[in-house]
Every structure is written in structure tokens, then in C-alpha cells.
Amino acid sequence: MILLKTAVVCSLSLAIVKTSCKKEQVSINPSLTSAVWQLGELARNDSKGNSYYVRGSKNNTGINYDAIRIKFNEDGTGYYTTDEDRTFPLEWEFKNNNHDEMILRVNYGGITTYLWKMVVIANNSLYSTTLFSDQGENLMVTTRYIPTR
């Protein structure tokens, strides 16, 4: 009886390991990791109202976003360059197998975690919406990143 229970536990363990291995092999859209992404468009909602940025044309946000860059490596690392043209390491992962949510951890000297929702990679663009708090202010930011040229 003990031998049978051990065999069942071992079989279940092997099944779990085999399933876990399959999960980690989910393919990543090659567009995500083959490009360095720059901000192409941003819509922001905060306590002051709505603001909008479009690369090369419109910007009523008060922030010049032209320097922002993100690079995603296949191994879950990368970098983030801020609007002040400062570059920081990041770690990233998809939160689910649908690849419509991503977790980004940027190391600014301490880890800041962002949850990107409604992620779509299509038509040479990377779209996301993020809800977060910055110095006590709640923000919602929707972005469209485009590959650098």
C-alpha cells in the first residue's frame, strides 16, 4: 500500500513537472523582443484632467516623452529609458497565458512594479493601459509604443 501511494505521488509529481515545463515554453511574440520601443502616443488621466502626447506633433502633458525607450529581452530582462533620458534595468513577464497583462519591475535604485493591462502587440505597435499612483495621485495612462527607427 505504501509503495502504491509512493508511486501515485511520484506520478503526480512528474505530471506537475511536465505541465510546468510546458507552461514555461509558451511562445513570445517575436515583435516584442526584436525591437527597441519608443513612445508613439500617450493618453493620461489624472486629477488635473486629460492630457495627450503624440510623437512629433501634439503634447499638452507638460512632459517631453521623446526620450522614453523600452527594450524587452527574451530572458525576461531589458531596460527602460525615462523621459529624462536615464536608463534603468527592468525585469518583465506576462501575468497570464493570454499575454494581455504584463508585469514590469524597473530598478530605479529600488524596485517599482507596474502592471500593464490590455496589452496588445499588433500592427507594429505595443499597446497598454496602466493604473498607478504617483506621489499620492492616482493616474491612468494608455500608451502606444512603436519601434525605434
Side-chain angles (χ1 to χ4, degrees):
M1 185 68 164
I2 292 175
L3 186 58
L4 181 58
K5 286 182 182 179
T6 303
V8 170
V9 170
C10 287
S11 296
L12 288 174
S13 296
L14 287 174
I16 291 168
V17 168
K18 190 173 182 181
T19 303
S20 297
C21 291
K22 285 182 183 177
K23 265 186 162 176
E24 291 177 16
Q25 294 174 359
V26 173
S27 64
I28 297 171
N29 184 326
S31 299
L32 180 67
T33 56
S34 65
V36 174
W37 297 93
Q38 63 186 347
L39 194 59
E41 187 173 2
L42 175 139
R44 175 183 166 135
N45 178 274
D46 58 30
S47 63
K48 298 174 194 102
N50 298 320
S51 54
Y52 200 66
Y53 162 87
V54 177
R55 176 173 289 283
S57 70
K58 181 179 181 178
N59 186 358
N60 68 355
T61 66
I63 300 169
N64 182 354
Y65 292 103
D66 290 348
I68 290 181
R69 302 282 189 275
I70 299 180
K71 174 62 175 144
F72 299 98
N73 297 323
E74 289 181 14
D75 65 358
T77 65
Y79 65 81
Y80 172 71
T81 302
T82 69
D83 58 302
E84 297 172 341
D85 204 22
R86 296 178 59 205
T87 301
F88 298 93
L90 72 78
E91 294 179 356
W92 68 275
E93 64 183 295
F94 287 106
K95 188 174 178 186
N96 58 41
N97 287 335
N98 295 329
H99 292 187
D100 59 2
E101 292 186 8
M102 291 175 74
I103 298 170
L104 283 75
R105 294 175 194 87
V106 182
N107 187 346
Y108 298 107
I111 304 295
T112 299
T113 302
Y114 301 97
L115 174 58
W116 282 11
K117 295 185 145 306
M118 297 185 281
V119 173
V120 175
I121 304 165
N123 302 321
N124 221 21
S125 295
L126 169 61
Y127 303 88
S128 73
T129 296
T130 308
L131 304 169
F132 63 98
S133 181
D134 185 17
Q135 299 175 359
E137 182 176 20
N138 292 324
L139 303 153
M140 182 175 79
V141 178
T142 299
T143 55
R144 179 177 62 89
Y145 287 88
I146 58 175
T148 56
R149 297 189 187 351

